[in-house]
Amino acid sequence: MPARSACWRCVPRPSSSPCSGSPWRRRWSTRAMPDDGLKQWLAAPSVWQLDAGEAPRQDTPLPRRVDLAVLGAGLGGLSAALHGLEAGCSVCVLEAQRVGAGASGRNSGFVVPAPSRQTPASLERLLGEAAGPFVRGLQEAGTRLLQGPGASAVQGWAQPWDGEVDPAAVVRLADDWRRLGVEARAADRDALQARIGTDRYAGGLCFERGGQIDPYAAAQGLAERVRQAGGSLVEGCPALTLRPRGEGYLIRTPQGDLLADRVLVAGNAYGREASATTRRAISPLALVLATFAGDVPGEPLPFSDNRKDIWFFRRLADGRLLTGCFALPGLDRRQCEALLGQRIRHLYGVEPGPLQHVWAGWVGLTLNALPRIESRDARLLHWSGCNGRGLALSSLMGRLLVERLLGGDGLGLPPAAPSPWQGMPLLGWLGRLAIALDRRQRHRGLPAPVVSLSAS
Ligand SMILES: Cc1cc2nc3c(=O)[nH]c(=O)nc-3n(C[C@H](O)[C@H](O)[C@H](O)COP(=O)(O)OP(=O)(O)OC[C@H]3O[C@@H](n4cnc5c(N)ncnc54)[C@H](O)[C@@H]3O)c2cc1C
Protein backbone atom coordinates (compact mmCIF):
# COMPACT_ATOMS: atom_id res chain seq x y z
CA MET A 1 0.00 0.00 0.00
CA PRO A 2 1.32 3.51 -0.69
CA ALA A 3 2.42 5.66 2.23
CA ARG A 4 -0.39 7.82 3.54
CA SER A 5 0.48 11.45 3.03
CA ALA A 6 0.55 13.11 6.42
CA CYS A 7 2.14 16.18 7.88
CA TRP A 8 1.65 18.45 10.84
CA ARG A 9 -0.06 20.99 8.64
CA CYS A 10 -2.94 18.70 7.76
CA VAL A 11 -3.71 16.16 10.48
CA PRO A 12 -2.31 17.03 13.86
CA ARG A 13 -5.32 15.75 15.84
CA PRO A 14 -5.68 12.18 16.95
CA SER A 15 -8.58 10.55 15.18
CA SER A 16 -9.81 8.83 18.31
CA SER A 17 -11.76 10.67 20.94
CA PRO A 18 -10.80 10.20 24.56
CA CYS A 19 -13.82 7.95 24.97
CA SER A 20 -15.27 5.60 22.49
CA GLY A 21 -17.37 2.58 23.20
CA SER A 22 -20.62 2.78 25.12
CA PRO A 23 -23.24 5.44 24.22
CA TRP A 24 -22.77 6.86 27.73
CA ARG A 25 -19.11 7.36 27.12
CA ARG A 26 -19.76 8.72 23.63
CA ARG A 27 -22.16 11.33 25.01
CA TRP A 28 -19.57 12.56 27.51
CA SER A 29 -16.86 12.56 24.92
CA THR A 30 -18.90 14.59 22.42
CA ARG A 31 -19.42 17.29 24.98
CA ALA A 32 -15.72 17.37 25.67
CA MET A 33 -14.86 17.86 22.00
CA PRO A 34 -13.15 21.12 21.15
CA ASP A 35 -15.11 23.93 19.52
CA ASP A 36 -14.25 25.21 16.05
CA GLY A 37 -11.82 27.96 17.08
CA LEU A 38 -9.88 25.55 19.22
CA LYS A 39 -9.89 22.94 16.45
CA GLN A 40 -8.14 25.46 14.20
CA TRP A 41 -5.51 26.18 16.83
CA LEU A 42 -4.99 22.45 17.38
CA ALA A 43 -4.43 22.11 13.65
CA ALA A 44 -2.18 25.18 13.28
CA PRO A 45 1.59 24.64 13.22
CA SER A 46 3.44 25.69 16.34
CA VAL A 47 5.81 28.66 16.22
CA TRP A 48 8.70 26.16 16.10
CA GLN A 49 7.22 24.28 13.15
CA LEU A 50 6.40 27.56 11.43
CA ASP A 51 9.90 28.98 11.94
CA ALA A 52 11.62 25.74 10.87
CA GLY A 53 9.44 25.01 7.84
CA GLU A 54 8.45 21.47 7.05
CA ALA A 55 11.33 19.00 7.35
CA PRO A 56 12.04 17.10 4.12
CA ARG A 57 10.40 13.69 4.18
CA GLN A 58 12.82 10.75 4.28
CA ASP A 59 11.03 7.74 2.92
CA THR A 60 12.12 4.70 4.84
CA PRO A 61 10.81 1.26 3.92
CA LEU A 62 8.97 -0.60 6.65
CA PRO A 63 11.10 -3.51 7.92
CA ARG A 64 9.36 -6.87 8.28
CA ARG A 65 10.75 -7.79 11.66
CA VAL A 66 12.55 -5.94 14.51
CA ASP A 67 13.56 -6.52 18.11
CA LEU A 68 11.82 -3.33 19.25
CA ALA A 69 8.99 -1.34 17.70
CA VAL A 70 8.12 2.10 19.06
CA LEU A 71 4.76 3.73 18.27
CA GLY A 72 5.18 7.50 18.09
CA ALA A 73 8.06 9.79 17.14
CA GLY A 74 7.81 12.36 19.90
CA LEU A 75 10.60 12.91 22.39
CA GLY A 76 9.44 9.83 24.33
CA GLY A 77 9.38 7.44 21.39
CA LEU A 78 12.62 8.76 19.92
CA SER A 79 14.50 8.56 23.23
CA ALA A 80 13.21 5.01 23.60
CA ALA A 81 14.39 4.13 20.11
CA LEU A 82 17.83 5.56 20.75
CA HIS A 83 18.12 3.62 23.97
CA GLY A 84 17.07 0.41 22.21
CA LEU A 85 19.67 0.99 19.50
CA GLU A 86 22.37 1.67 22.10
CA ALA A 87 21.44 -1.66 23.72
CA GLY A 88 22.05 -3.42 20.40
CA CYS A 89 18.43 -3.96 19.28
CA SER A 90 17.09 -3.53 15.79
CA VAL A 91 14.51 -0.76 16.15
CA CYS A 92 11.65 0.64 14.09
CA VAL A 93 9.75 3.81 15.05
CA LEU A 94 6.32 4.15 13.45
CA GLU A 95 5.00 7.70 13.30
CA ALA A 96 1.42 8.32 12.23
CA GLN A 97 2.24 11.81 10.93
CA ARG A 98 5.65 13.50 11.03
CA VAL A 99 8.37 13.64 13.67
CA GLY A 100 7.29 16.07 16.40
CA ALA A 101 3.69 16.28 15.15
CA GLY A 102 2.34 15.55 18.64
CA ALA A 103 2.97 17.52 21.80
CA SER A 104 6.75 17.35 21.31
CA GLY A 105 6.69 19.84 18.45
CA ARG A 106 3.94 22.04 19.88
CA ASN A 107 4.88 22.86 23.46
CA SER A 108 6.42 25.86 25.25
CA GLY A 109 9.85 24.26 25.49
CA PHE A 110 10.32 24.62 29.26
CA VAL A 111 12.69 21.96 30.53
CA VAL A 112 11.65 21.24 34.09
CA PRO A 113 13.54 18.79 36.26
CA ALA A 114 10.69 18.18 38.73
CA PRO A 115 7.25 16.64 38.24
CA SER A 116 4.24 18.93 38.49
CA ARG A 117 1.97 19.08 41.56
CA GLN A 118 4.42 17.03 43.66
CA THR A 119 6.59 18.05 46.56
CA PRO A 120 9.59 15.92 47.53
CA ALA A 121 7.55 14.55 50.46
CA SER A 122 4.51 13.60 48.36
CA LEU A 123 6.75 12.04 45.74
CA GLU A 124 8.48 9.91 48.35
CA ARG A 125 5.10 8.78 49.64
CA LEU A 126 4.08 7.73 46.14
CA LEU A 127 7.32 6.27 44.83
CA GLY A 128 9.21 5.31 47.98
CA GLU A 129 12.91 4.78 47.32
CA ALA A 130 12.45 5.34 43.60
CA ALA A 131 11.63 9.05 44.23
CA GLY A 132 15.27 10.20 44.34
CA PRO A 133 16.43 8.20 41.28
CA PHE A 134 13.29 9.33 39.44
CA VAL A 135 13.87 13.07 39.92
CA ARG A 136 17.60 12.73 39.35
CA GLY A 137 16.72 10.89 36.14
CA LEU A 138 14.44 13.78 35.17
CA GLN A 139 17.25 16.23 35.81
CA GLU A 140 19.71 14.19 33.72
CA ALA A 141 17.17 13.86 30.90
CA GLY A 142 16.63 17.63 31.06
CA THR A 143 20.36 18.26 30.90
CA ARG A 144 20.63 16.08 27.78
CA LEU A 145 17.88 18.14 26.14
CA LEU A 146 19.52 21.40 27.17
CA GLN A 147 22.76 20.32 25.54
CA GLY A 148 21.20 19.08 22.30
CA PRO A 149 19.71 20.69 19.19
CA GLY A 150 17.30 23.50 19.93
CA ALA A 151 19.08 24.43 23.19
CA SER A 152 19.08 28.04 24.34
CA ALA A 153 21.77 29.91 26.22
CA VAL A 154 19.37 30.62 29.09
CA GLN A 155 20.03 28.24 31.98
CA GLY A 156 17.44 27.71 34.69
CA TRP A 157 13.69 27.60 35.12
CA ALA A 158 11.71 29.31 37.87
CA GLN A 159 8.49 28.57 39.69
CA PRO A 160 7.27 31.70 41.45
CA TRP A 161 4.39 31.45 43.90
CA ASP A 162 1.43 33.71 43.52
CA GLY A 163 -0.02 35.23 46.69
CA GLU A 164 1.40 35.23 50.20
CA VAL A 165 4.61 33.34 50.62
CA ASP A 166 6.20 32.00 53.80
CA PRO A 167 9.94 32.45 53.10
CA ALA A 168 10.87 29.69 55.56
CA ALA A 169 8.57 27.23 53.72
CA VAL A 170 10.24 28.07 50.40
CA VAL A 171 13.69 27.49 51.89
CA ARG A 172 12.53 24.14 53.35
CA LEU A 173 11.12 23.07 50.02
CA ALA A 174 14.35 23.96 48.20
CA ASP A 175 16.30 21.99 50.84
CA ASP A 176 14.01 18.99 50.33
CA TRP A 177 14.51 19.03 46.57
CA ARG A 178 18.27 19.25 47.03
CA ARG A 179 18.12 16.30 49.45
CA LEU A 180 16.63 14.28 46.58
CA GLY A 181 19.38 15.51 44.26
CA VAL A 182 17.54 18.27 42.38
CA GLU A 183 19.35 21.61 42.19
CA ALA A 184 16.70 23.98 43.54
CA ARG A 185 17.23 27.36 45.25
CA ALA A 186 14.80 29.51 47.18
CA ALA A 187 14.32 32.98 45.70
CA ASP A 188 12.72 36.03 47.31
CA ARG A 189 11.01 38.88 45.45
CA ASP A 190 14.26 40.67 44.59
CA ALA A 191 16.03 37.53 43.44
CA LEU A 192 13.04 36.61 41.32
CA GLN A 193 12.84 40.04 39.79
CA ALA A 194 16.48 39.80 38.78
CA ARG A 195 15.92 36.40 37.17
CA ILE A 196 12.45 36.52 35.63
CA GLY A 197 12.02 40.25 35.08
CA THR A 198 8.93 40.90 37.22
CA ASP A 199 8.53 41.89 40.87
CA ARG A 200 4.96 40.56 41.10
CA TYR A 201 5.88 37.39 42.96
CA ALA A 202 6.97 37.37 46.60
CA GLY A 203 8.97 34.16 46.38
CA GLY A 204 9.51 30.86 44.66
CA LEU A 205 12.05 28.32 43.50
CA CYS A 206 14.73 28.43 40.82
CA PHE A 207 15.72 25.10 39.31
CA GLU A 208 19.26 25.69 38.09
CA ARG A 209 19.31 22.67 35.79
CA GLY A 210 16.06 23.53 34.06
CA GLY A 211 15.90 25.77 31.03
CA GLN A 212 14.29 26.27 27.66
CA ILE A 213 14.63 24.70 24.24
CA ASP A 214 13.09 24.73 20.80
CA PRO A 215 11.35 21.37 21.28
CA TYR A 216 10.68 20.76 17.58
CA ALA A 217 14.39 21.14 16.83
CA ALA A 218 15.11 18.76 19.71
CA ALA A 219 12.75 16.15 18.24
CA GLN A 220 14.27 16.54 14.76
CA GLY A 221 17.75 16.20 16.27
CA LEU A 222 16.80 13.00 18.08
CA ALA A 223 15.20 11.60 14.92
CA GLU A 224 18.46 12.22 13.07
CA ARG A 225 20.40 10.38 15.77
CA VAL A 226 18.00 7.43 15.54
CA ARG A 227 18.53 7.24 11.78
CA GLN A 228 22.30 7.60 12.11
CA ALA A 229 22.38 4.79 14.66
CA GLY A 230 20.69 2.49 12.15
CA GLY A 231 17.09 2.71 13.35
CA SER A 232 14.16 2.75 10.91
CA LEU A 233 11.87 5.73 11.30
CA VAL A 234 8.77 5.44 9.15
CA GLU A 235 6.67 8.61 9.02
CA GLY A 236 3.09 8.83 7.81
CA CYS A 237 2.66 5.25 9.00
CA PRO A 238 0.18 4.81 11.85
CA ALA A 239 0.15 1.52 13.70
CA LEU A 240 -3.44 0.44 13.09
CA THR A 241 -3.67 -2.70 15.20
CA LEU A 242 -1.43 -4.56 17.57
CA ARG A 243 -1.90 -8.30 18.23
CA PRO A 244 0.17 -10.98 19.97
CA ARG A 245 1.85 -13.23 17.41
CA GLY A 246 4.24 -15.99 18.45
CA GLU A 247 6.86 -14.58 20.83
CA GLY A 248 6.09 -10.98 19.93
CA TYR A 249 3.51 -8.66 18.40
CA LEU A 250 2.20 -8.17 14.89
CA ILE A 251 1.65 -4.52 14.03
CA ARG A 252 -0.61 -3.77 11.09
CA THR A 253 0.08 -0.51 9.23
CA PRO A 254 -1.07 0.97 5.90
CA GLN A 255 2.37 0.05 4.54
CA GLY A 256 2.23 -3.60 5.56
CA ASP A 257 2.84 -5.70 8.67
CA LEU A 258 5.70 -5.48 11.13
CA LEU A 259 6.63 -8.23 13.60
CA ALA A 260 8.30 -6.99 16.76
CA ASP A 261 9.61 -8.92 19.78
CA ARG A 262 8.95 -5.94 22.04
CA VAL A 263 6.69 -2.90 21.64
CA LEU A 264 6.60 0.47 23.37
CA VAL A 265 3.42 2.48 22.75
CA ALA A 266 4.46 6.13 23.03
CA GLY A 267 1.49 7.99 21.50
CA ASN A 268 0.76 9.78 24.78
CA ALA A 269 -2.03 12.41 24.51
CA TYR A 270 -1.86 12.09 20.69
CA GLY A 271 -2.46 8.31 20.74
CA ARG A 272 -4.68 7.03 17.94
CA GLU A 273 -5.62 3.66 16.45
CA ALA A 274 -3.29 1.03 17.98
CA SER A 275 -2.10 3.72 20.40
CA ALA A 276 -5.56 5.07 21.33
CA THR A 277 -5.03 3.44 24.74
CA THR A 278 -2.39 6.00 25.69
CA ARG A 279 -4.85 8.84 25.13
CA ARG A 280 -7.70 7.02 26.86
CA ALA A 281 -5.56 6.42 29.95
CA ILE A 282 -5.30 10.15 30.67
CA SER A 283 -7.46 13.26 30.53
CA PRO A 284 -6.39 15.46 27.64
CA LEU A 285 -6.70 19.23 28.21
CA ALA A 286 -6.07 21.71 25.42
CA LEU A 287 -3.43 24.32 26.14
CA VAL A 288 -3.30 27.40 23.90
CA LEU A 289 0.06 29.02 23.22
CA ALA A 290 0.70 32.42 21.68
CA THR A 291 3.58 34.65 20.71
CA PHE A 292 3.58 38.42 21.10
CA ALA A 293 5.80 40.81 19.18
CA GLY A 294 8.12 43.09 21.07
CA ASP A 295 11.42 42.76 22.74
CA VAL A 296 11.47 41.52 26.31
CA PRO A 297 14.63 43.05 27.77
CA GLY A 298 17.49 40.93 29.13
CA GLU A 299 17.61 37.15 29.27
CA PRO A 300 14.85 36.31 31.74
CA LEU A 301 14.43 32.72 32.89
CA PRO A 302 11.39 30.88 31.62
CA PHE A 303 8.84 30.46 34.39
CA SER A 304 5.47 28.96 35.26
CA ASP A 305 3.75 29.98 38.46
CA ASN A 306 1.99 27.71 40.91
CA ARG A 307 -1.69 28.47 40.16
CA LYS A 308 -4.21 26.14 38.54
CA ASP A 309 -4.80 28.77 35.87
CA ILE A 310 -1.08 28.82 35.40
CA TRP A 311 0.72 31.91 34.09
CA PHE A 312 3.88 31.11 32.18
CA PHE A 313 6.28 33.11 30.04
CA ARG A 314 9.48 32.77 28.10
CA ARG A 315 11.43 34.88 25.70
CA LEU A 316 12.25 33.47 22.27
CA ALA A 317 15.72 33.98 20.81
CA ASP A 318 14.57 37.00 18.77
CA GLY A 319 12.88 38.68 21.74
CA ARG A 320 9.28 37.61 21.11
CA LEU A 321 7.33 36.62 24.18
CA LEU A 322 5.72 33.19 24.39
CA THR A 323 2.86 32.64 26.80
CA GLY A 324 -0.49 30.90 26.86
CA CYS A 325 -3.44 29.60 28.84
CA PHE A 326 -5.65 26.55 29.11
CA ALA A 327 -8.49 26.59 26.59
CA LEU A 328 -11.89 27.09 28.18
CA PRO A 329 -15.07 26.97 26.09
CA GLY A 330 -15.57 29.92 23.78
CA LEU A 331 -12.02 31.31 23.94
CA ASP A 332 -11.41 33.08 20.65
CA ARG A 333 -8.47 35.05 19.28
CA ARG A 334 -9.63 38.43 20.60
CA GLN A 335 -10.30 37.07 24.06
CA CYS A 336 -7.01 35.25 24.02
CA GLU A 337 -5.17 38.45 23.10
CA ALA A 338 -7.05 40.40 25.79
CA LEU A 339 -6.49 37.79 28.50
CA LEU A 340 -2.81 37.26 27.82
CA GLY A 341 -2.19 40.95 27.18
CA GLN A 342 -3.68 41.73 30.58
CA ARG A 343 -1.23 39.32 32.18
CA ILE A 344 1.73 40.87 30.37
CA ARG A 345 0.68 44.35 31.50
CA HIS A 346 0.22 43.18 35.05
CA LEU A 347 3.52 41.33 35.28
CA TYR A 348 5.87 43.53 33.30
CA GLY A 349 4.11 46.90 33.39
CA VAL A 350 4.45 47.28 29.61
CA GLU A 351 1.93 47.38 26.81
CA PRO A 352 2.20 44.09 24.87
CA GLY A 353 3.03 44.12 21.20
CA PRO A 354 0.55 42.57 18.78
CA LEU A 355 -0.44 38.96 19.14
CA GLN A 356 1.39 37.14 16.36
CA HIS A 357 0.72 33.45 16.27
CA VAL A 358 -1.64 31.15 18.17
CA TRP A 359 -1.75 27.37 18.28
CA ALA A 360 -2.78 24.70 20.77
CA GLY A 361 -1.91 21.19 21.83
CA TRP A 362 -3.12 18.40 24.08
CA VAL A 363 -1.71 18.09 27.57
CA GLY A 364 -2.35 14.75 29.28
CA LEU A 365 -3.47 14.98 32.90
CA THR A 366 -3.31 12.11 35.35
CA LEU A 367 -4.83 12.02 38.82
CA ASN A 368 -1.54 12.07 40.71
CA ALA A 369 0.37 14.04 38.06
CA LEU A 370 2.70 11.09 37.50
CA PRO A 371 2.91 9.09 34.28
CA ARG A 372 0.57 6.10 33.82
CA ILE A 373 2.33 2.94 32.77
CA GLU A 374 0.28 0.02 31.51
CA SER A 375 1.70 -3.38 30.94
CA ARG A 376 -0.26 -6.18 29.30
CA ASP A 377 2.69 -8.54 29.31
CA ALA A 378 6.47 -8.39 29.44
CA ARG A 379 6.65 -7.66 25.68
CA LEU A 380 4.34 -4.64 25.51
CA LEU A 381 4.30 -1.38 27.49
CA HIS A 382 2.09 1.68 27.12
CA TRP A 383 2.64 4.94 28.95
CA SER A 384 1.18 8.42 28.94
CA GLY A 385 0.64 11.54 31.01
CA CYS A 386 2.78 14.65 31.22
CA ASN A 387 0.78 17.09 33.27
CA GLY A 388 2.40 19.92 31.36
CA ARG A 389 5.96 18.94 32.23
CA GLY A 390 6.63 16.20 29.76
CA LEU A 391 9.87 17.09 27.98
CA ALA A 392 12.36 15.74 30.48
CA LEU A 393 9.73 13.21 31.58
CA SER A 394 9.13 11.73 28.10
CA SER A 395 12.86 11.48 27.47
CA LEU A 396 13.31 9.68 30.77
CA MET A 397 10.28 7.40 30.37
CA GLY A 398 11.35 6.35 26.88
CA ARG A 399 14.68 5.16 28.24
CA LEU A 400 13.32 3.56 31.41
CA LEU A 401 10.59 1.63 29.66
CA VAL A 402 12.92 0.24 27.01
CA GLU A 403 15.21 -0.83 29.83
CA ARG A 404 12.22 -2.63 31.33
CA LEU A 405 11.21 -4.25 28.04
CA LEU A 406 14.75 -5.56 27.77
CA GLY A 407 14.58 -7.22 31.17
CA GLY A 408 15.73 -4.43 33.54
CA ASP A 409 13.53 -2.88 36.20
CA GLY A 410 13.45 0.67 34.78
CA LEU A 411 13.53 2.18 38.30
CA GLY A 412 10.69 -0.11 39.29
CA LEU A 413 8.08 2.60 38.63
CA PRO A 414 4.78 0.88 39.38
CA PRO A 415 2.26 0.13 36.62
CA ALA A 416 -0.97 2.09 37.03
CA ALA A 417 -3.73 0.45 39.00
CA PRO A 418 -6.93 0.02 36.96
CA SER A 419 -9.09 3.07 37.53
CA PRO A 420 -12.87 3.32 37.22
CA TRP A 421 -12.33 6.83 35.82
CA GLN A 422 -10.15 5.67 32.99
CA GLY A 423 -11.64 6.62 29.65
CA MET A 424 -14.02 9.12 31.26
CA PRO A 425 -13.19 12.79 30.77
CA LEU A 426 -14.22 13.57 34.34
CA LEU A 427 -10.72 14.56 35.44
CA GLY A 428 -10.48 16.89 32.43
CA TRP A 429 -13.84 18.44 33.34
CA LEU A 430 -12.84 18.96 36.94
CA GLY A 431 -9.53 20.37 35.74
CA ARG A 432 -11.29 22.86 33.45
CA LEU A 433 -13.70 23.85 36.23
CA ALA A 434 -10.83 24.46 38.67
CA ILE A 435 -9.01 26.51 36.02
CA ALA A 436 -12.13 28.57 35.24
CA LEU A 437 -12.69 29.39 38.91
CA ASP A 438 -9.05 30.22 39.43
CA ARG A 439 -9.01 32.40 36.29
CA ARG A 440 -12.02 34.33 37.46
CA GLN A 441 -10.63 34.80 40.97
CA ARG A 442 -7.22 35.79 39.72
CA HIS A 443 -8.40 38.32 37.20
CA ARG A 444 -10.88 39.92 39.58
CA GLY A 445 -8.24 42.16 41.11
CA LEU A 446 -6.62 43.13 37.80
CA PRO A 447 -7.53 46.14 35.65
CA ALA A 448 -10.16 45.24 33.04
CA PRO A 449 -8.73 43.59 29.93
CA VAL A 450 -8.37 45.82 26.91
CA VAL A 451 -9.08 44.19 23.57
CA SER A 452 -6.35 45.40 21.27
CA LEU A 453 -7.26 45.81 17.64
CA SER A 454 -3.68 45.41 16.51
CA ALA A 455 -4.19 41.81 15.35
CA SER A 456 -7.26 40.50 13.66
C1 LIG B 1 0.77 23.28 24.39
C2 LIG B 1 1.69 22.41 25.21
C3 LIG B 1 2.68 22.99 25.98
C4 LIG B 1 3.54 22.18 26.72
N1 LIG B 1 4.57 22.77 27.36
C5 LIG B 1 5.50 21.99 27.96
C6 LIG B 1 6.66 22.57 28.50
O1 LIG B 1 6.89 23.77 28.39
N2 LIG B 1 7.52 21.76 29.15
C7 LIG B 1 7.32 20.42 29.26
O2 LIG B 1 8.13 19.74 29.88
N3 LIG B 1 6.24 19.84 28.71
C8 LIG B 1 5.34 20.58 28.04
N4 LIG B 1 4.29 20.00 27.44
C9 LIG B 1 4.17 18.54 27.46
C10 LIG B 1 5.14 17.89 26.48
O3 LIG B 1 5.08 18.57 25.25
C11 LIG B 1 4.74 16.44 26.26
O4 LIG B 1 4.59 15.79 27.48
C12 LIG B 1 5.78 15.67 25.48
O5 LIG B 1 6.17 16.36 24.34
C13 LIG B 1 5.20 14.33 25.11
O6 LIG B 1 6.11 13.65 24.30
P1 LIG B 1 5.73 12.22 23.81
O7 LIG B 1 6.82 11.75 22.93
O8 LIG B 1 5.42 11.36 24.97
O9 LIG B 1 4.37 12.39 23.00
P2 LIG B 1 4.10 13.21 21.65
O10 LIG B 1 5.13 14.23 21.38
O11 LIG B 1 2.70 13.66 21.69
O12 LIG B 1 4.29 12.11 20.52
C14 LIG B 1 3.36 11.08 20.31
C15 LIG B 1 3.48 10.71 18.84
O13 LIG B 1 2.81 9.48 18.63
C16 LIG B 1 2.24 9.52 17.34
N5 LIG B 1 1.22 8.46 17.29
C17 LIG B 1 0.07 8.41 17.99
N6 LIG B 1 -0.59 7.26 17.72
C18 LIG B 1 0.19 6.58 16.82
C19 LIG B 1 0.05 5.33 16.15
N7 LIG B 1 -1.03 4.55 16.34
N8 LIG B 1 1.03 4.95 15.31
C20 LIG B 1 2.12 5.73 15.11
N9 LIG B 1 2.29 6.92 15.70
C21 LIG B 1 1.34 7.34 16.56
C22 LIG B 1 1.69 10.93 17.25
O14 LIG B 1 1.48 11.31 15.90
C23 LIG B 1 2.79 11.72 17.92
O15 LIG B 1 3.75 12.22 17.00
C24 LIG B 1 3.38 20.78 26.71
C25 LIG B 1 2.39 20.20 25.95
C26 LIG B 1 1.55 21.00 25.19
C27 LIG B 1 0.52 20.35 24.34
Side-chain angles (χ1 to χ4, degrees):
M1 239 189 215
R4 194 167 99 171
S5 124
C7 72
W8 45 261
R9 287 186 200 281
C10 50
V11 260
R13 269 183 310 119
S15 57
S16 61
S17 77
C19 300
S20 49
S22 73
W24 163 244
R25 289 187 165 195
R26 273 200 300 275
R27 194 160 70 236
W28 279 60
S29 97
T30 316
R31 288 196 198 157
M33 286 306 276
D35 55 34
D36 284 349
L38 178 56
K39 275 187 193 159
Q40 282 179 15
W41 289 339
L42 287 163
S46 68
V47 72
W48 322 110
Q49 291 165 330
L50 208 57
D51 286 355
E54 200 170 341
R57 176 83 167 258
Q58 304 190 19
D59 282 323
T60 311
L62 184 76
R64 293 179 66 84
R65 180 169 194 128
V66 284
D67 299 328
L68 172 69
V70 178
L71 275 46
L75 289 175
L78 293 166
S79 306
L82 206 54
H83 197 56
L85 289 160
E86 284 162 6
C89 299
S90 56
V91 176
C92 176
V93 183
L94 297 176
E95 168 51 50
Q97 300 172 48
R98 301 295 311 270
V99 167
S104 293
R106 310 182 61 74
N107 60 71
S108 339
F110 296 2
V111 177
V112 185
S116 79
R117 301 211 315 266
Q118 296 289 347
T119 60
S122 66
L123 205 58
E124 282 178 306
R125 272 197 302 280
L126 280 166
L127 298 183
E129 288 186 351
F134 177 64
V135 287
R136 288 195 292 279
L138 277 182
Q139 192 168 252
E140 289 307 318
T143 300
R144 278 195 295 276
L145 287 171
L146 290 166
Q147 291 169 348
S152 123
V154 176
Q155 288 288 317
W157 173 83
Q159 178 160 48
W161 290 352
D162 186 54
E164 298 225 338
V165 172
D166 170 4
V170 186
V171 170
R172 272 199 307 278
L173 194 59
D175 288 346
D176 286 350
W177 279 121
R178 281 203 304 279
R179 185 174 48 75
L180 285 188
V182 176
E183 287 184 30
R185 304 255 164 275
D188 61 13
R189 191 185 299 277
D190 290 344
L192 276 176
Q193 182 177 11
R195 300 204 68 184
I196 66 175
T198 171
D199 64 357
R200 297 301 165 129
Y201 295 101
L205 294 177
C206 288
F207 290 86
E208 304 301 341
R209 287 179 63 187
Q212 63 183 31
I213 58 171
D214 168 343
Y216 184 61
Q220 295 294 339
L222 262 181
E224 197 44 44
R225 285 179 64 194
V226 167
R227 290 188 183 105
Q228 280 172 2
S232 310
L233 203 172
V234 192
E235 295 178 285
C237 187
L240 301 175
T241 59
L242 189 59
R243 302 211 191 293
R245 171 71 60 88
E247 296 294 296
Y249 273 85
L250 180 75
I251 304 168
R252 189 137 286 167
T253 84
Q255 298 186 30
D257 292 350
L258 169 68
L259 252 179
D261 292 343
R262 302 278 184 273
V263 182
L264 179 67
V265 183
N268 217 327
Y270 281 78
R272 47 184 274 182
E273 287 125 3
S275 178
T277 42
T278 64
R279 184 169 164 94
R280 268 206 297 273
I282 48 153
S283 297
L285 272 196
L287 183 61
V288 177
L289 298 185
T291 54
F292 282 83
D295 207 351
V296 180
E299 295 275 0
L301 292 192
F303 74 87
S304 314
D305 72 20
N306 63 330
R307 298 286 292 244
K308 293 199 165 49
D309 183 30
I310 186 172
W311 289 15
F312 54 93
F313 292 87
R314 69 170 278 187
R315 181 187 184 275
L316 302 184
D318 59 6
R320 281 173 293 170
L321 192 63
L322 185 156
T323 179
C325 60
F326 279 108
L328 295 178
L331 185 76
D332 63 17
R333 190 177 166 105
R334 278 167 68 91
Q335 287 169 348
C336 184
E337 181 171 26
L339 184 83
L340 298 176
Q342 187 189 30
R343 295 179 183 183
I344 294 171
R345 249 176 253 115
H346 176 70
L347 284 182
Y348 299 107
V350 297
E351 199 52 35
L355 177 68
Q356 289 191 324
H357 181 57
V358 190
W359 73 102
W362 293 110
V363 169
L365 295 194
T366 60
L367 257 183
N368 62 7
L370 289 180
R372 260 188 90 86
I373 304 169
E374 295 192 8
S375 168
R376 238 175 264 168
D377 59 48
R379 301 161 298 169
L380 173 66
L381 285 173
H382 302 236
W383 87 276
S384 49
C386 72
N387 301 284
R389 296 196 190 168
L391 294 184
L393 179 69
S394 286
S395 311
L396 175 69
M397 292 304 289
R399 297 180 83 84
L400 289 180
L401 295 183
V402 165
E403 195 181 307
R404 192 178 285 188
L405 282 169
L406 299 181
D409 79 342
L411 279 188
L413 293 178
S419 155
W421 305 114
Q422 189 178 334
M424 302 279 281
L426 188 66
L427 180 58
W429 279 34
L430 292 176
R432 275 188 290 274
L433 182 63
I435 289 163
L437 294 174
D438 195 39
R439 186 169 295 172
R440 184 191 290 184
Q441 187 193 17
R442 208 168 174 188
H443 282 260
R444 210 171 265 158
L446 303 183
V450 182
V451 177
S452 155
L453 299 178
S454 52
S456 55

